[in-house]
Amino acid sequence: MATNKAVNEVLTRLKIETPSWAYGNSGTRFKVFGQPGVPRDPFEKVEDAAQVNKYTGSTPSVALHIPWDKVADYAKLAAHAKELGVVLGTINSNTFQDDDYKLGSVCNPDAKIRDKAVRHLHECIEIMDITGSQDLKLWFADGTNYPGQDSIRERQERLSESLKKTYARIGENQRLLLEYKFFEPSFYTTDVPDWGTSLMHCMELGPKAWVVVDTGHHAPGTNIEFIVANLIRVNKLGAFDFNSRFYADDDLIVGAADPFQLFRIMHEVNVGGGFDVGTPISFVLDQCHNIEAKIPGQIRSIMNVQEAVAKAVLVDQNALRAAQISGDVLGAHDVLMDAYNTDVRPLLRDWREAAGINPEPMKAYAASGYAAKIAAERVGGNQAGWGA
Ligand code: PSV
Ligand code: MN
């Protein structure tokens, strides 16, 4: 068995970014339910993100979404974050909520619209220059709904050209992250539907382009750990967007639907050196809390990731390898399951105590009175929501 010391070291190194949109109101296309105390602007979103960091000790950065988190002065927002002990992280672009993008953004048949989309991506990089953010994350809603609607191949050429124009503007210490998703909002073809397409474009672009694996963006039954192992093998896995899904892109709390899958993914990350010092892999939540409270939803998510990581690090690698090499099928499986079936919660409580954090983050946050405080203070103005 790996030692608790090894687990503690990884937990201390492991930083997970939370998304600004998790703090705003969200819902389905049927209904968005408001919640008391929801932030009214990006400054308040950052304050909530700082609370998650306070109770987990593991979320020192918050991802922004442009234009949802557009502010007049990004340096001021960055300074506000810094005062609260967090930094501004990944900048997420948005090329899916403008009427012009009905037929796509960077793949649109109209060159003027493609140019508009690329200008937006350049604007996001300008924001990164001010905030000091390392990563530009691209998720494109581009695709088609009907066979024959557009040329599949030409759309790939347009995508390649637009990505090259974006990549040309990426700074020396910045990265372009290309996320894939197999469907929605397009239902016949999606222009970046899978890891192969994303990887092909990233390889064409160069060393600053990396693939993002959003755990909710695969068809049911997809072996995500296989994808992760392969991307790590060619050193192109740039980031995770964590969430879980029962059906499609459900954006539920990571580890809620299938904690065993999350463990298997984290095991591949561990084997591939993804928790080592200097790992290129960023760990980010991409979730919406439609019916549950938002800050506790984020805290619970971080705890779920930590539990999966702790179990993955506990896998006895020597015993696993020995069993694998000797063809001991069930022995190898046992080694993995032993780690998965370990109750790591006491270990995590000890690690938190040693790190000066309350061992029970959910209870500590609930007892803090912060939820009642923001519900009383944040009256008037417009609550931020998915899409604002
Ligand atoms: C849309 O599916 C999505 O969830 C993508 O995963 C992005 O990362 C996120 O929204 C923010 O644009
Ligand atoms: Mn995502």
Side-chain angles (χ1 to χ4, degrees):
M1 233 13 181
T3 61
N4 289 2
K5 186 168 170 277
V7 178
N8 287 343
E9 282 171 10
V10 170
L11 289 173
T12 303
R13 266 201 303 278
L14 181 70
K15 303 299 173 207
I16 305 163
E17 187 162 291
T18 71
S20 69
W21 53 98
Y23 303 104
N25 284 327
S26 59
T28 63
R29 61 201 161 101
F30 300 101
K31 169 75 180 160
V32 171
F33 297 101
Q35 291 187 18
V38 158
R40 293 157 303 173
D41 59 34
F43 288 83
E44 291 181 347
K45 290 182 192 173
V46 166
E47 286 160 24
D48 290 0
Q51 287 293 308
V52 178
N53 190 39
K54 180 175 172 186
Y55 292 99
T56 62
S58 300
T59 63
S61 65
V62 52
L64 299 185
H65 208 295
I66 307 299
W68 301 343
D69 296 316
K70 212 167 186 156
V71 290
D73 187 344
Y74 289 96
K76 195 172 159 198
L77 185 62
H80 182 64
K82 200 172 164 203
E83 258 171 42
L84 297 163
V86 291
V87 296
L88 304 179
T90 309
I91 300 296
N92 290 257
S93 57
N94 183 326
T95 52
F96 49 88
Q97 283 184 313
D98 188 299
D99 283 340
D100 277 346
Y101 298 143
K102 188 167 81 174
L103 300 180
S105 61
V106 289
C107 304
N108 196 296
D110 184 338
K112 284 196 295 298
I113 295 174
R114 294 200 297 279
D115 283 349
K116 172 176 168 168
V118 170
R119 275 201 306 280
H120 167 68
L121 303 181
H122 285 177
E123 180 201 346
C124 289
I125 301 170
E126 278 159 28
I127 295 170
M128 291 163 67
D129 292 341
I130 302 170
T131 57
S133 305
Q134 177 194 247
D135 291 339
L136 170 69
K137 192 167 81 200
L138 309 176
W139 170 71
F140 297 119
D142 289 48
T144 65
N145 270 1
Y146 294 98
Q149 180 190 320
D150 197 358
S151 158
I152 293 174
R153 218 174 125 162
E154 271 177 37
R155 291 183 74 91
Q156 286 299 309
E157 293 302 337
R158 297 173 204 148
L159 174 63
S160 168
E161 191 184 296
S162 301
L163 285 172
K164 282 179 186 151
K165 288 180 184 164
T166 309
Y167 188 80
R169 176 65 186 74
I170 288 283
E172 207 175 313
N173 297 316
Q174 295 172 340
R175 308 192 302 173
L176 179 157
L177 304 180
L178 185 57
E179 179 174 353
Y180 60 90
K181 169 162 133 169
F182 72 126
F183 88 111
E184 195 201 23
S186 300
F187 298 111
Y188 169 55
T189 60
T190 293
D191 293 310
V192 189
D194 52 30
W195 68 287
T197 309
S198 176
L199 180 63
M200 256 178 353
H201 284 282
C202 287
M203 288 177 78
E204 207 181 326
L205 289 171
K208 291 181 281 182
W210 300 76
V211 179
V212 178
V213 172
D214 182 312
T215 50
H217 285 190
H218 306 85
T222 302
N223 184 330
I224 301 174
E225 60 269 28
F226 179 85
I227 297 170
V228 167
N230 272 287
L231 288 174
I232 293 178
R233 180 174 170 267
V234 296
N235 198 29
K236 273 294 188 192
L237 178 58
F240 277 102
D241 265 9
F242 286 132
N243 51 61
S244 65
R245 50 126 37 210
F246 288 98
Y247 297 99
D249 187 18
D250 304 350
D251 279 344
L252 299 176
I253 287 175
V254 58
D258 190 347
F260 184 43
Q261 179 190 58
L262 183 62
F263 160 77
R264 298 192 311 262
I265 295 171
M266 293 301 101
H267 169 62
E268 285 308 327
V269 172
N270 187 42
V271 169
F275 298 130
D276 292 357
V277 177
T279 177
I281 306 172
S282 299
F283 302 92
V284 186
L285 299 182
D286 175 13
Q287 299 177 173
C288 291
H289 303 294
N290 298 349
I291 56 169
E292 68 276 27
K294 292 158 199 310
I295 296 173
Q298 291 286 282
I299 295 174
R300 176 81 263 166
S301 308
I302 299 300
M303 293 169 73
N304 286 357
V305 175
Q306 289 172 327
E307 285 178 21
V309 170
K311 290 178 183 201
V313 178
L314 279 179
V315 172
D316 186 335
Q317 299 296 340
N318 292 333
L320 182 65
R321 189 142 319 126
Q324 288 173 342
I325 287 168
S326 67
D328 182 359
V329 176
L330 293 180
H333 181 59
D334 270 355
V335 172
L336 211 70
M337 295 313 290
D338 266 350
Y340 177 65
N341 288 319
T342 307
D343 183 358
V344 292
R345 290 171 302 175
L347 190 161
L348 274 156
R349 280 195 284 269
D350 290 349
W351 170 76
R352 289 190 189 105
E353 253 177 347
I357 307 159
N358 191 301
E360 299 284 354
M362 295 291 282
K363 287 185 187 148
Y365 172 75
S368 73
Y370 185 81
K373 180 176 168 283
I374 54 176
E377 282 174 9
R378 294 177 183 170
V379 286
N382 288 327
Q383 292 191 315
W386 189 89

